Amino acid sequence: MGREEGEKAEPVTPAGRFFLQPKGQNIIHCVVGTKDPIDIEATKAEIKTTLLKHPRFCSLLIRDKHGRELWQKTEVELENHIVYPDLSGLIGEEDEEEEVVINRYLGDLAVSSPLDETKPLWEIHVLRAQRCCVLRLHHALGDGISLMSLFLACCKRSGRPDLVPSLPQPKRRNLSPTTSVKEKLRRVVLMVWFTVVYCLQFVLYSLWMKDEETAISGGDGVELWPRTAATAHFRLDDMKLVKNAVRGTVNDVLFGVIASGLARYLKMRSPTKPAPGISGLALVNTRLRPGLQDPSLMLEPGSKTRWGNQMGYVVLPLDLQRKDPSDPLEYLKRAKALLDRKKLSLEAHFSYKMGSLIMSIFGPKVATWINYRVIARTTFTISNVVGPQEEMMFAGNPIRFLRASSTSIPHALTMHMVSYMGKVEMQILVAKDIIPDPRFLAKCFEDALHEMKDVASLPHANDQGRG
C-alpha cells in the first residue's frame, strides 16, 4: 500500500487523538449475526462498493515531524483486513452454544494485539460456523453513532434491496408554544444550576473523588486484565410498557434495570454489606441532531452533524439501597428523576469541550491522563444506540442481531446496548478476575426488567408511576 498522489493528509480530530494515546487506545467491536451462511465473495464485493468509499476506511494513520497524527489516503488490500480465526480452542466439549463461543472470542479480542498501523485501522473477523462477523474498528475512526450510521448506510431493507434502512428519529422534548415565560425562566435557571453542579462533580472526579470499592470495581491498569463477555436479552415492547408506567423513556428503563440488576448482583456477592453508592459513565452524542445520522451529511464541510468522535461523558451516580422493598419500580423512578435532571444540564457538552480545550492547550498526554482518571475512579461504562426496527440485510444476507462492545477501559464492567427489530441486546464485557460470572449478571438485568414489567402490566401501574 502506498499514499495516493495529490491527496492531502487530514488532521485527526482532538477527540480522535485521545484514542491514539497509550492510555486511551480503544477498539470498538461490532458483532453482526446473519441468517444465512456468510458468502465471502459477496461480502467482499459489498465492502468494496460501500465501506471502502469512505475516506476513513481507506486512510493510513501517519505522523508528521511534530508528532501530530494525520489521515493519509491509501490503496486498500482488502484481503489484509479479513481474518478467519480458529475457534477450536474456544469450544468446550459440552458447551458449544453459539452465543457462548462468540462471547469467548470477544473476550479474547478485548486483550489481543492492537490494530496494525501499517494499514487502515479496521478488520473484519469472519466466524463462519457461528454465521457472524466481528467488525474491529479503532475508536479514532469515529464514535458509535458515526460507525453505526455508516454501517446502516451499507445495508438494504430485507425484501427491498433498492432501499436503505430508515434511521430512527428520536423525539425531541421541545417546549410548547404556550409555555409561560415563568416556566421558560424556571427551566433556564435549572439548566444553569444543574450544569454547574454536575460539571463541578465531573471535575472533582478528575481530582480526588472516587467511588466506593465494591465487588465490581475496576481501577488503574484493569484495562489490561483478561476479559470475558455475556449478553443480556430484552424485548423493546417490554421496555416501552415499563417506561409508560412512569411516563419515561427507554433510557430511563435501561438505567433503572442496570441499578436494580447491580443491586441484585452485589447482594449475592456481598450479602452482609449494605448496598453501596457507585457511579457510571454514560457516553452521550453531542451533535445538534440526536440519534443516528446520514453519513453523507456528516462528511459535508461545515456540517453540524460531523463525522468523528462527537461525544461527551455524563456521570450517573447510583444509590443501590432499596428503600421500599414493596415497589419494584423504585429504581426506575429514581433513574428517571436523575436523568430528567441530567437532560437539563450541559454536562456532556462541557466534558467534550473541556477535553478538546485541554487537548489543544496541554496536548494529548495531559488530556488522556485526566480522562483516564475520571474513568478509573468510577465503576462502569454504559452506552445505548437505537438501531432500525425493520429487518435489513448486508450483501444480500438478512441480519439476525447487532451487538457492540469496546475495549481497553479501566472499568471492570462495560455495557453497550443496541436495539434492532424489536429486540435489545446488551453486550456485557467484564474483567473476569473481578466479575467471574457475567452470565449471572446478565440474568440479574433480565430478571429486573421482568419484575418491572409484571408491575407495569397491572391496571394501577400508571397511577403508581404518577405518585
Side-chain angles (χ1 to χ4, degrees), residues 107-175:
D108 285 356
L109 276 184
V111 289
S112 65
S113 59
L115 289 166
D116 183 359
E117 291 190 5
T118 63
K119 61 184 181 181
L121 298 177
W122 60 274
E123 292 175 343
I124 296 179
H125 292 226
V126 181
L127 283 59
R128 294 194 185 192
Q130 289 70 35
R131 290 177 298 151
C132 78
C133 294
V134 179
L135 280 69
R136 201 163 184 244
L137 311 161
H138 201 291
H139 217 314
L141 295 175
D143 56 21
I145 293 295
S146 297
L147 297 170
M148 183 64 79
S149 298
L150 175 62
F151 176 72
L152 295 186
C154 299
C155 297
K156 303 295 182 183
R157 296 188 197 180
S158 287
R160 292 296 305 274
D162 56 320
L163 297 176
V164 297
S166 55
L167 296 179
Q169 299 298 322
K171 294 181 180 179
R172 285 184 175 273
R173 289 188 170 185
N174 295 323
L175 292 176

Side-chain angles (χ1 to χ4, degrees), residues 34 36-46 126 128 394-395 397:
T34 60
D36 302 325
I38 297 172
D39 184 331
I40 299 299
E41 294 307 315
T43 300
K44 290 180 183 177
E46 190 68 37
V126 181
R128 294 194 185 192
F394 183 81
N397 197 343

Side-chain angles (χ1 to χ4, degrees), residues 195-271:
T195 298
V196 171
V197 170
Y198 294 140
C199 291
L200 178 60
Q201 180 189 49
F202 190 90
V203 171
L204 291 178
Y205 264 105
S206 70
L207 297 174
W208 66 76
M209 275 183 63
K210 186 177 181 181
D211 279 0
E212 179 182 343
E213 290 289 332
T214 70
I216 61 173
S217 294
D220 191 5
V222 170
E223 69 273 14
L224 302 176
W225 289 27
R227 299 273 155 170
T228 189
T231 308
H233 303 271
F234 310 102
R235 293 179 66 248
L236 191 57
D237 284 345
D238 291 346
M239 287 189 153
K240 290 180 178 179
L241 176 65
V242 173
K243 81 177 180 67
N244 291 336
V246 294
R247 295 184 177 180
T249 66
V250 170
N251 275 335
D252 296 336
V253 177
L254 170 63
F255 192 44
V257 163
I258 287 173
S260 179
L262 288 179
R264 292 164 184 255
Y265 181 79
L266 288 171
K267 186 175 181 180
M268 184 277 298
R269 289 285 302 272
S270 308

Side-chain angles (χ1 to χ4, degrees), residues 245 326-329 450-461 464:
S326 64
D327 183 9
L329 298 180
H450 290 155
E451 184 182 48
M452 293 180 190
K453 177 193 171 186
D454 290 342
V455 175
S457 300
L458 299 176
H460 67 280
Q464 184 184 19

Side-chain angles (χ1 to χ4, degrees), residues 416-448:
H416 298 273
M417 191 173 86
V418 179
S419 61
Y420 170 60
M421 281 182 60
K423 299 177 183 178
V424 181
E425 309 260 1
M426 181 196 288
Q427 195 65 26
I428 302 167
L429 187 69
V430 303
K432 62 183 179 182
D433 292 334
I434 297 174
I435 304 176
D437 47 2
R439 296 181 75 183
F440 176 73
L441 177 58
K443 188 175 185 304
C444 288
F445 294 138
E446 293 170 349
D447 290 347

